[in-house]
Amino acid sequence: MEFQSPREAAAFALSLLDLTNLRDDCDNEAIEKLCHRAQTPSGHAAAICIWPGFVAHARQILGAGHPVRIATVVNFPTGDLPVEAVIEETRKAVEDGADEIDMVIPYRALLAGDEVAVTAMVEAVRGACPDSCLKVILETGELKDRGLIRRASELAISAGANFIKTSTGKVSVNATLEAADVMLQAIRDSKKRVGFKAAGGIGTVADADLYLRLAESMLGPNWIMPSTFRFGASGLLDDILMLLNGGTSARSAAGY
């Protein structure tokens, strides 16, 4: 994408950001800080992404109908909970005020050749949150193989995903441009309105811009918006704010 300045690029990245705290030491105070950080003088993040146990507290802070959406995670991070447990997690999260559900597929089952387990899990969670945005996490760094990432994308899309998402951020390899390329091709070929979320390891606006350029080349400049594209990151906001406040990015922002 062509931006007139690094500041313009930063403002756009902010609008696509799922500001995330999925740390093991997260607490109510951290959630309060996250909610406030998601709202800046230059605009707000698309969503916050938090543990299910903090959804009700975040909803108290943000209130009903707030432009910053509340996303939470289920079957996270291992992807191996029983379907019934994940359905219960999902229903409780929605009752507590979650707008969006980020669920992990049973990727180990897929690695063992069990496609039915993936379809069953996605369909079950879709049924438990029919009015919520459902982002399906493929854990591409564990799937590794391009063909398997493609198949996971197809299964998730067919089973009702609103987004397909690269990673949990909890494994050694998270978002990569290679995995994004496969996933965006699957979205394009599906001819469905399905979004893409890159999560884990995206720390600068320059990093983010590489994903934006890839998506634009695949799906066109008018496709990228908060309803179809997200970044899942905790550190990206620091670089965004640095640029918005007239500073220099942590890495060269050449090309904006």
Side-chain angles (χ1 to χ4, degrees):
M1 303 186 74
E2 295 300 325
F3 296 107
Q4 298 302 310
S5 68
R7 193 178 188 283
E8 184 183 346
F12 188 61
L14 175 62
S15 74
L16 306 174
L17 179 61
D18 285 4
L19 185 61
T20 303
N21 188 332
L22 295 169
R23 293 169 55 96
D24 293 336
D25 62 355
C26 186
D27 57 18
N28 281 343
E29 183 180 355
I31 293 299
E32 290 163 15
K33 290 179 179 177
L34 193 75
C35 290
H36 293 304
R37 276 174 55 79
Q39 305 168 77
T40 83
S42 300
H44 61 78
I48 57 169
C49 188
I50 56 178
W51 292 109
F54 297 108
V55 168
H57 186 55
R59 180 53 69 202
Q60 278 188 324
I61 297 166
L62 295 176
H66 198 282
V68 176
R69 296 170 67 81
I70 299 174
T72 194
V73 291
V74 300
N75 204 26
F76 188 95
T78 58
D80 55 10
L81 290 176
V83 172
E84 295 77 11
V86 182
I87 290 173
E88 182 57 32
E89 271 190 323
T90 303
R91 287 177 175 161
K92 179 66 163 60
V94 172
E95 287 172 6
D96 285 347
D99 301 299
E100 303 179 355
I101 301 294
D102 289 29
M103 65 150 288
V104 184
I105 65 166
Y107 60 86
R108 292 187 182 90
L110 183 60
L111 283 164
D114 188 355
E115 294 187 355
V116 173
V118 176
T119 297
M121 182 66 79
V122 178
E123 288 181 344
V125 175
R126 173 77 285 169
C129 61
D131 300 320
S132 305
C133 177
L134 177 60
K135 307 193 204 88
V136 177
I137 304 170
L138 308 183
E139 202 65 293
T140 54
E142 295 294 288
L143 295 180
K144 298 182 175 68
D145 178 75
R146 286 181 64 92
L148 204 53
I149 293 169
R150 170 71 185 217
R151 188 60 183 144
S153 301
E154 292 169 345
L155 292 169
I157 292 169
S158 295
N162 297 116
F163 274 74
I164 50 176
K165 174 178 170 181
T166 59
S167 328
T168 61
K170 297 288 188 179
V171 295
S172 58
V173 176
N174 292 293
T176 66
L177 288 167
E178 291 77 14
D181 181 68
V182 176
M183 295 167 68
L184 289 163
Q185 285 184 44
I187 290 169
R188 180 195 63 197
D189 294 346
S190 77
K191 296 181 171 56
K192 294 183 178 180
R193 185 175 174 80
V194 176
F196 168 78
K197 179 174 173 180
I202 301 164
T204 69
V205 173
D207 290 332
D209 187 54
L210 296 175
Y211 287 88
L212 294 174
R213 289 174 185 271
L214 177 63
E216 181 183 43
S217 71
M218 198 87 61
L219 291 155
N222 298 321
W223 182 81
I224 301 171
M225 60 187 72
S227 61
T228 53
F229 194 104
R230 300 283 183 86
F231 293 110
S234 54
L236 180 57
L237 183 60
D238 292 333
D239 199 58
I240 288 172
L241 293 176
M242 181 71 73
L243 288 167
L244 289 175
N245 291 325
T248 303
S249 174
R251 200 177 69 185
S252 170
Y256 292 136

